[in-house]
Amino acid sequence: RPTSGMTTLAYYSLARSQRQGANVVIIDSLSHLDMNTAATSGANLENLVLVEIEQLPLLLNLVRELLHSGVVNYLLVNLLGLRQTTLNLRLLLNNLHSSDCALVLLLPQSVQSDIASLRLQIQRQNWLRQNGDIIGCLSSVKVEKQRFGKTGTETLLLLPFEREVWV
């Protein structure tokens, strides 16, 4: 069920990374990601690895190992089904600092993590409809944290669900 467009935005960035030659891995904690939507967002499903892990300690261990391996360039980790309100991701920092991998964490709004160098709040403003069908959404994107820049910047983002958008 579509909500704010956070996952769709992650798929667009994943697809762009693939077009630039990145090795992509998706780790899905509760099997919530829709690979059909990933494909319509431009992701090449034949050239990515999808791992489904429900146990958080195993998931974080795998993330650490993948960051350390140097083989993965883009790592999307879906923790949207997470029921915890705090998440200690400090154990990933050493591996993240020494890696050329982009780590994208999809976290519920209720979960706070202190390792992000960029944190966006994405909130749906309106559905985009065509002939009664929902074909996308208009979402506001606000920079909540940016290590080397200005916070508080906000923009509107148009996220169609059924065709590729070049980001």
Side-chain angles (χ1 to χ4, degrees):
R1 182 176 159 266
T3 54
S4 67
M6 178 181 7
T7 304
T8 302
L9 183 59
Y11 290 150
Y12 288 145
S13 92
L14 179 147
R16 173 109 185 215
S17 294
Q18 280 186 317
R19 285 193 300 276
Q20 294 174 345
N23 292 323
V24 174
V25 173
I26 297 175
I27 300 176
D28 190 4
S29 64
L30 294 169
S31 305
H32 285 165
L33 294 180
D34 179 357
M35 290 298 103
N36 290 328
T37 303
T40 59
S41 299
N44 181 342
L45 301 183
E46 294 181 13
N47 286 337
L48 64 79
V49 175
L50 172 64
V51 181
E52 294 179 350
I53 300 177
E54 291 183 19
Q55 297 87 5
L56 189 58
L58 290 175
L59 184 146
L60 293 175
N61 222 17
L62 178 60
V63 169
R64 235 183 351 264
E65 290 299 319
L66 289 171
L67 290 172
H68 181 71
S69 75
V71 174
V72 177
N73 309 106
Y74 186 101
L75 181 56
L76 172 60
V77 181
N78 175 29
L79 296 170
L80 288 173
L82 195 64
R83 298 195 192 321
Q84 294 175 230
T85 55
T86 59
L87 184 59
N88 183 2
L89 297 174
R90 289 243 168 233
L91 298 173
L92 300 177
L93 278 179
N94 287 341
N95 297 98
L96 191 55
H97 287 304
S98 63
S99 174
D100 288 330
C101 181
L103 174 62
V104 177
L105 296 171
L106 300 179
L107 297 169
Q109 193 170 2
S110 62
V111 172
Q112 294 298 313
S113 170
D114 56 355
I115 72 160
S117 48
L118 174 67
R119 184 180 303 126
L120 302 176
Q121 177 186 10
I122 303 173
Q123 194 166 29
R124 183 185 71 246
Q125 300 297 310
N126 292 306
W127 291 115
L128 301 176
R129 297 180 188 271
Q130 184 176 39
N131 300 326
D133 293 329
I134 295 174
I135 61 165
C137 68
L138 181 67
S139 294
S140 67
V141 180
K142 181 178 180 182
V143 177
E144 287 190 336
K145 176 183 176 185
Q146 185 172 334
R147 187 166 291 161
F148 302 108
K150 183 178 169 186
T151 61
T153 305
E154 193 166 351
T155 189
L156 291 176
L157 188 60
L158 180 66
L159 295 168
F161 296 143
E162 294 300 326
R163 69 174 197 269
E164 183 174 354
V165 171
W166 296 85
V167 290

